[in-house]
Each structure stands twice: as C-alpha cells, then as structure tokens.
Amino acid sequence: ATYKGQEYKAEMAGSLANISKFMAEPVTDKETLEKDSDKMKTRMELMIMEIQADFCRALEAEEEHGTVFRIDRWKRAEGGGGVTCVLQDGTVFEKAGVNISVVSGTLPQAAVAQMRARGKTFRKDAQLPFVAAGVSAVIHPRNPMVPTIHFNYRYFEVVDPEDNSVQWWFGGGTDLTPYYLNEDDCRHFHQTLKNACDKHDKEYYPKYKKWCDDYFFVKHRGERRGVGGIFFDDLDTPSQEKAFAFVTECAKAVIPSYLPLVKKHKHDGYGYAERQWQLLRRGRYVEFNLIYDRGTKFGLYTPGARYESILMSLPLTAKWEYMHSPQHGSKEAKLMDVLKNPKDWV
Amino acid sequence: ATYKGQEYKAEMAGSLANISKFMAEPVTDKETLEKDSDKMKTRMELMIMEIQADFCRALEAEEEHGTVFRIDRWKRAEGGGGVTCVLQDGTVFEKAGVNISVVSGTLPQAAVAQMRARGKTFRKDAQLPFVAAGVSAVIHPRNPMVPTIHFNYRYFEVVDPEDNSVQWWFGGGTDLTPYYLNEDDCRHFHQTLKNACDKHDKEYYPKYKKWCDDYFFVKHRGERRGVGGIFFDDLDTPSQEKAFAFVTECAKAVIPSYLPLVKKHKHDGYGYAERQWQLLRRGRYVEFNLIYDRGTKFGLYTPGARYESILMSLPLTAKWEYMHSPQHGSKEAKLMDVLKNPKDWV
C-alpha cells in the first residue's frame, strides 16, 4: 500500500504539472484532486483532461489561419461540470467538438432500471450516488476527403450507501466515418486501434470491432454510420488498474489513428458533387445520433444536462434529399457497399 | 339504412369521379372501394387522396418555373401502401412532401401496449388486425419569410377477431413554424383553424391549440417548434360521422390557412443573415422530428416502413452552430420569445 501510495503521488505530481497545459482548470478543485489522488475518479479526470488538451492542440496545429478552440468551462447544478471545447468554421475543420465532463449525483430510477437490465447488481429502487467521468469528441472536417472521427472514453462508479459496495466500469470507443472510401486510411486507422488493443488482450480488437459495427447501425436504412473502429461497455476486468491502462492506451491512440489522415487529405481537390455527398452523409450522421445513440439520448433526458455540449456532435451543415441513391459503380456507391457490408480491415 | 346507403353511394360516385384528379390511383383497388363504399376506411382513403391532390396542385401553382411533384406510389409487403409526393429544389419550395398511406396488418405488441396505456380497451397479448389511413405533409419554403407548415390527419381502426368489436379513432393537426414572426400571419392561420373547429364544437379550438403547444415541444431547449395550431388524438366522439366531418373540415382548412402566407411573402426580400437563421431553425425542426415526434418514431420502428416517406419531413438543408443565440432585441429574439412563451393568437 505504501509503495502504491508513492506511485499514485508520483503519477499525481506528473499530472498536476500538466494542469497548466489543460484547456481549462479541472472540474474538481486541486485540493480534492490531491486528497483523492489514489482514487480512480481522480486519475480518470486527469487523464481525460490531458487527452482533451493534446487532441485540441493537435487539431489547432492543422488549422491554417490560426482558428482556435472556444473553451467553455461549466458547472452542473446537480453536481460536477465539464469543459467543452469547440472549433467552428475553421479552414480545415468545419466543426470540431471535444468535451470532458465529470458529473456526480444520484442515479435517476430509469438509469438504475436500465443498468440492472444490463446485469448490474443494484438493489431495486435504491438511491444510488454515482460519478461519471468521460471525454467525448466529434470532428467534422471541411474537405470531404478527410473522414469524420468520433471517440468517447468514460468511467462510471456507483456506490451503494447501505454497505459502501462499489460498482465501477469503463466504456468507450473510437470510430471513423469517411465520405469517400480510402482503403489505406481504413487499414491505418484499424491497425492503430488493433495495436493499442493487442497490448492488453488479443481478444479485445476482434470483439470490440464487431461491437462497433453492431452499435453504429442506422437500422431503418440498413447501413452503418461509418467504417467502424472499436466500441465497448461495462468493462470491469481483469482489474481496475488494467482496465484503466487499456482505456488510457485507447484514448492515446486517437491522435496517431487520425491525424495522419487529416494531414494526408486536407488539401485534396474536390468539387460541388463531393461536397453535396458529404452533406447528405452528414444527414445520416444526424439520424444516427438523434434516433439511436444511447449517449445522446441518456444525455438529453438527464435533468440539468448541458444540451449544447451533447449536440456539439452535430455537423455545422447537413442535407436530406428525398430518394437519393448514388449511381451504380460510382465512388459514392463504393462507400455504401462497405457501410452495408462491414469488412475486416486488418 | 336504405337512405344512408343511397347517401354513401352518392358520396362514392362523387369521389370516384375525382379519382382521375388524384396524384395516383388510390391504394385500394376500385372494386374494393365500391364494395366497401359505406365503410369509414374507404371514405377516409378517398378524402385524404383528394386532400393530397388539392394541396399538391395548389403548391405547384405557386412555383415559377413549372417544378412539379414527383409521385411515388408504393406497396407495403405487410399490407396496404401509399402515395408519396415530393417537390424538391423548386423556386418557391425548397422541399415539400405530401404523403398518404393506407396500411393494414396486425398491431405489433409494442403498439398494443402503448395504446392500452393510452386507455384503449384491447385484450392483452391479442393479435389485433388494424387499418390506418392518413395524410401527412411538411412544406419547407425557400424564402425565410414564408413559414413551414405541417399537417397530418389520420384514421385508425382495430378489430378484435374474437368478438368482432371495433375500436376506431381519428387524430391529427396542423401547425405553423415561422422563421420570422409576423403577427398578422399567426392570427390569420389560427383564426382559419379556429373557424373550422368552431363549426363542430366550440371547445375544440382552445383544447387542441393547447395540446399542440404541449406536443411540439423541444424539451431539452425549452422551446416550441413553432407558433402552434391544433393537435388532437384518440377522437372518437360525438359519433364516427361527426368526427369524420370535423377531420375533413380541418384538412380542408389547410389551404386557406397557409396559401395566403405563401402568396404574400414568397417575393419578400432577404439576405444571408436571414437564410442562416432559417437553416439554424431547420436544425431545431430536425431535432424535434427525430428525438420527440411520435409519428416519426412509430414509423421508423414499424417493420416494413418506407423510411423515405417518413423522412421526407426533414428539410433539404439544416445547420447546427454551437451556442448560437440571437442578439437581444433582434427579430430573431422576438421569434424565440414566442417559442418559449406561447401566446393566444385569436
């Protein structure tokens, strides 16, 4: 315990030194962070703050007329808060949102029921305090040859006040939504995620790749939102320490999985037709997020939710054309084929 | 009964003479329509076909380079079908969809449960054949000074095969979504609906006006979709005959409530700022339809649903800007004030 205590103090000292590089002050005050430096909620908060800062800075570095993120630090009346960073109408990014939130409170009964249905062993009708800490981002580039990326990594902790028993789990994922299919890009993206997974468990990548294909499914159209990536939830094995190391690894893999695609394609040529197709695909993105996405729904139905932070995932512009269907054999049809029949990339 | 029979035959003869003016052949074949001429499902089908044709022709007459509706007549594998008419990228209408559907089948268990919760006295777990016939339209004009209109009128019939008992009801409504507030327009629109209601029951308009304000509510933003109109469901009083007469009156009030606003504003001047505001408001329209609208949800979750006919309600183009807020005292803020605090227009 003493050795572990020393280790956390060292981790904390490193993290606190980073605070000045964060997009804003952490949600939790410095004294509480130091006092609870060995707690997972503290370590997760500092990790996601660092991921947010690194990712935002990496995106800003790609902008060409110095557009930077707008930073909103907000509090939630019911407990906790977040830092929402949005870059809008840049030269390279049409809309980029990177949000962290650390919220606490008592679980709504609907959430308790939903989690029990998923296998959590909560007492029925219990008043359960929870903490949720997560980072979430959606990047919509301007150039249709640069894919949209989404990622989200989160930690959830529920304490039963009756016996102080704790249930905790991690969830998250990273997925790519191209407008035009570039197989090299898909391979690079998936390979980077697979490498991150393989360091922890060789079974993770195949399992979470399939979970991702199944989750990001626009059911009424029979098509996936994009070319997938990884997705998982309720991860509470093999230990809290190892699960945190895995989630941290995944979060750190976002930049190497995505930034090379931005650099490679941000100056690609395109015309009116490619822009129109991008806007139509963004309409499908909106359909998935507003109709099916659990995170969006859970967020919007949560009392006191900051809806601007949830809806920052929506594109700046989207289109819906009645009965649009790409021409047989076109580049657009080639993408649709992969969205209807997901394939293995690595 | 003979007298009533004669009357239906006369009504039918009039309707059949109109068939050549419909946008397409009715969903039900002519022989069945004639055989069942006294049945409400037949009378409703002919009424909505007529409403569709009249409304589409009235809109086409406002177009300035001869843009006409595309007409898709479709069948549903599980029973019935529909006629979807869409006019896209016109000079006056950016996207206009007018759909009729007459579908039959067995109620999904989720629908039975939902209807029982609403007070229908169905036997639990019964296999219940149903017929649903309705007309639905959403018109998104190009000029931001012309409001968007939506209306929907429907008839639902469920037969319990065990005792042949029939439950039936009507539902529907008409509502207006302006981008800029013109109080004369709101008054004209509401007055036209009120006049239609008042001919049937003086209590209808106030009751259905409030229902409309309550229903078209974007909860997470605390604002209504538009300036309302009328909305009702489960109408099965005072008699089937009288309820049908009321619904027909409402459907016939759509053109006089709306076309004068199109004629009045379709050549109004506007600039970039007004167009941008219109696109942002259309984003809110998408939020309501995909997150809250019962009809859209019920439609998309129905097996074999024609999603293109459901999603024709979405605008051609929509925008989402992070943290957009109209300037205090602006014309845009004036609209927001009414969307947050609905008022009485007549």
Side-chain angles (χ1 to χ4, degrees):
Chain A
T2 311
Y3 171 72
K4 267 289 171 201
Q6 293 297 339
E7 208 176 273
Y8 292 135
K9 282 219 180 75
E11 184 183 296
M12 172 61 59
S15 291
L16 289 181
N18 277 337
I19 283 188
S20 63
K21 295 182 204 150
F22 291 170
M23 301 303 279
E25 291 277 305
V27 174
T28 309
D29 62 273
K30 205 175 154 183
E31 292 65 42
T32 310
L33 289 174
E34 283 179 333
K35 179 173 68 66
D36 292 342
S37 65
D38 58 339
K39 295 208 168 130
M40 184 49 72
K41 63 181 180 185
T42 304
R43 299 168 70 200
M44 188 70 184
E45 178 169 344
L46 293 171
M47 188 274 272
I48 60 180
M49 294 283 320
E50 191 182 327
I51 291 291
Q52 180 184 48
D54 290 349
F55 193 53
C56 287
R57 298 310 179 205
L59 297 180
E60 283 176 349
E62 299 303 318
E63 278 294 323
E64 286 162 3
H65 294 117
T67 314
V68 293
F69 276 88
R70 162 182 176 163
I71 301 164
D72 289 319
R73 188 168 179 274
W74 46 274
K75 292 274 177 199
R76 182 171 166 273
E78 293 79 358
V83 178
T84 301
C85 300
V86 175
L87 186 160
Q88 202 166 268
D89 243 333
T91 52
V92 174
F93 301 107
E94 194 167 339
K95 192 162 166 195
V98 187
N99 186 59
I100 72 103
S101 64
V102 180
V103 303
S104 53
T106 303
L107 278 186
Q109 282 310 309
V112 174
Q114 202 253 316
M115 288 168 181
R116 279 169 51 91
R118 244 162 62 205
K120 306 294 174 202
T121 57
F122 299 146
R123 282 183 302 118
K124 217 175 171 177
D125 302 321
Q127 290 288 312
L128 298 170
F130 77 95
V131 179
V135 57
S136 171
V138 177
I139 313 302
H140 295 294
R142 193 173 289 284
N143 191 311
M145 303 304 154
V146 184
T148 282
I149 191 176
H150 158 253
F151 73 90
N152 164 235
Y153 290 97
R154 57 191 182 273
Y155 171 71
F156 221 93
E157 190 179 283
V158 182
V159 183
D160 190 329
E162 199 146 281
D163 57 6
N164 276 315
S165 64
V166 179
Q167 287 185 68
W168 58 265
W169 64 93
F170 292 91
T174 306
D175 67 280
L176 196 72
T177 305
Y179 303 91
Y180 287 93
L181 190 68
N182 179 307
E183 302 207 342
D184 286 341
D185 291 354
C186 296
R187 274 189 291 268
H188 166 82
F189 180 78
H190 275 271
Q191 187 66 55
T192 311
L193 301 186
K194 182 174 185 297
N195 293 347
C197 290
D198 284 356
K199 284 188 206 167
H200 298 264
D201 190 325
K202 293 270 183 195
E203 285 179 12
Y204 281 172
Y205 175 76
K207 188 172 156 195
Y208 298 159
K209 191 269 185 198
K210 183 177 183 310
W211 199 338
C212 189
D213 285 336
D214 292 344
Y215 180 77
F216 292 102
F217 186 51
V218 181
K219 197 181 166 198
H220 56 276
R221 296 189 184 267
E223 63 190 48
R224 268 110 212 126
R225 188 174 77 172
V227 298
I230 54 171
F231 184 89
F232 59 92
D233 205 354
D234 297 319
L235 181 72
D236 54 8
T237 54
S239 68
Q240 197 180 53
E241 198 60 39
K242 287 187 173 167
F244 178 61
F246 168 62
V247 166
T248 304
E249 184 102 42
C250 290
K252 295 206 167 177
V254 169
I255 291 179
S257 76
Y258 184 59
L259 262 285
L261 311 188
V262 176
K263 288 178 198 290
K264 183 174 159 194
H265 296 293
K266 70 177 180 176
H267 293 126
D268 282 5
Y270 69 91
Y272 180 80
E274 287 80 11
R275 171 67 171 165
Q276 292 306 302
W277 174 245
Q278 181 198 46
L279 296 178
L280 287 172
R281 295 306 311 162
R282 285 189 171 156
R284 306 289 183 275
Y285 207 90
V286 172
E287 285 178 28
F288 179 82
N289 287 21
L290 298 186
I291 300 175
Y292 300 106
D293 187 53
R294 283 210 321 222
T296 306
K297 272 194 207 180
F298 181 81
L300 290 180
Y301 285 103
T302 299
R306 187 174 189 267
Y307 62 82
E308 287 283 3
S309 298
I310 299 164
L311 298 178
M312 69 169 200
S313 65
L314 301 180
L316 193 61
T317 311
K319 281 195 83 168
W320 283 270
E321 271 182 31
Y322 175 67
M323 295 289 273
H324 184 279
S325 182
Q327 268 198 298
H328 185 74
S330 65
K331 287 180 296 179
E332 290 79 9
K334 204 174 139 201
L335 176 74
M336 291 313 299
D337 188 44
V338 167
L339 301 185
K340 285 180 190 287
N341 308 289
K343 56 182 270 187
D344 288 328
W345 294 103
V346 290
Chain B
T2 311
Y3 172 69
K4 267 288 169 200
Q6 293 296 339
E7 208 174 273
Y8 292 136
K9 282 218 180 77
E11 184 181 299
M12 172 61 59
S15 293
L16 290 180
N18 276 339
I19 282 189
S20 63
K21 294 182 205 152
F22 291 170
M23 301 304 278
E25 291 278 305
V27 174
T28 309
D29 62 89
K30 205 174 154 184
E31 292 65 41
T32 310
L33 289 174
E34 283 181 332
K35 178 171 70 65
D36 292 343
S37 65
D38 57 338
K39 295 205 168 133
M40 184 49 74
K41 62 182 180 185
T42 304
R43 300 168 69 199
M44 188 70 182
E45 179 170 343
L46 293 171
M47 188 274 272
I48 60 182
M49 294 281 325
E50 191 182 329
I51 291 292
Q52 179 184 49
D54 289 349
F55 193 52
C56 287
R57 299 310 180 206
L59 297 178
E60 283 177 348
E62 297 302 320
E63 279 294 323
E64 285 161 5
H65 295 116
T67 314
V68 294
F69 276 89
R70 162 182 175 162
I71 302 164
D72 289 319
R73 187 167 180 274
W74 46 274
K75 291 275 175 197
R76 182 171 166 272
E78 293 80 358
V83 178
T84 301
C85 300
V86 175
L87 187 161
Q88 201 165 268
D89 242 333
T91 52
V92 174
F93 301 106
E94 195 167 338
K95 192 162 166 194
V98 188
N99 185 59
I100 73 101
S101 64
V102 180
V103 303
S104 53
T106 304
L107 277 186
Q109 281 310 308
V112 174
Q114 202 253 316
M115 288 168 181
R116 279 168 52 92
R118 244 164 61 208
K120 306 295 174 202
T121 57
F122 299 146
R123 282 182 302 119
K124 217 175 171 177
D125 302 320
Q127 290 289 313
L128 297 171
F130 77 96
V131 180
V135 57
S136 172
V138 177
I139 313 302
H140 295 294
R142 193 173 290 283
N143 192 310
M145 304 304 153
V146 185
T148 282
I149 191 176
H150 158 253
F151 72 89
N152 164 235
Y153 290 96
R154 57 191 182 273
Y155 170 70
F156 221 91
E157 190 179 284
V158 182
V159 182
D160 189 331
E162 199 146 282
D163 57 3
N164 276 314
S165 64
V166 179
Q167 287 186 66
W168 58 264
W169 64 93
F170 293 91
T174 306
D175 66 282
L176 197 71
T177 305
Y179 303 92
Y180 288 93
L181 190 68
N182 179 308
E183 304 208 341
D184 286 341
D185 291 355
C186 296
R187 274 189 290 269
H188 165 82
F189 180 77
H190 275 270
Q191 187 66 56
T192 310
L193 301 186
K194 183 174 184 297
N195 293 347
C197 290
D198 284 357
K199 284 189 207 167
H200 298 263
D201 190 326
K202 294 270 183 195
E203 287 179 11
Y204 281 171
Y205 175 78
K207 188 172 158 196
Y208 298 158
K209 191 269 185 198
K210 183 177 183 310
W211 199 339
C212 189
D213 286 336
D214 292 344
Y215 180 78
F216 291 102
F217 186 51
V218 181
K219 198 182 165 195
H220 57 276
R221 295 189 184 267
E223 63 189 48
R224 269 110 212 126
R225 188 173 78 172
V227 296
I230 55 171
F231 184 88
F232 59 92
D233 204 354
D234 296 320
L235 180 71
D236 53 8
T237 52
S239 68
Q240 198 180 51
E241 197 59 40
K242 287 187 174 169
F244 177 62
F246 168 61
V247 167
T248 304
E249 184 101 42
C250 290
K252 295 207 168 178
V254 169
I255 292 179
S257 75
Y258 183 58
L259 262 284
L261 311 187
V262 176
K263 289 178 198 288
K264 182 174 159 193
H265 296 295
K266 69 178 182 176
H267 294 125
D268 282 4
Y270 68 94
Y272 180 81
E274 287 80 11
R275 171 66 172 167
Q276 292 306 302
W277 174 245
Q278 181 198 44
L279 296 179
L280 288 172
R281 295 306 311 163
R282 285 190 170 155
R284 307 290 183 274
Y285 207 90
V286 172
E287 285 178 29
F288 179 82
N289 286 20
L290 298 187
I291 301 175
Y292 300 106
D293 188 52
R294 282 209 326 221
T296 305
K297 273 195 207 179
F298 181 80
L300 291 179
Y301 285 103
T302 299
R306 188 173 188 266
Y307 62 82
E308 287 283 3
S309 298
I310 298 165
L311 298 177
M312 69 168 200
S313 65
L314 301 179
L316 193 60
T317 310
K319 281 194 84 168
W320 282 269
E321 271 182 31
Y322 175 67
M323 296 289 274
H324 184 279
S325 181
Q327 269 198 298
H328 185 74
S330 64
K331 286 180 296 178
E332 291 79 9
K334 205 175 138 201
L335 175 74
M336 291 314 298
D337 189 45
V338 167
L339 301 186
K340 285 180 189 289
N341 308 289
K343 57 181 270 188
D344 288 328
W345 294 104
V346 289

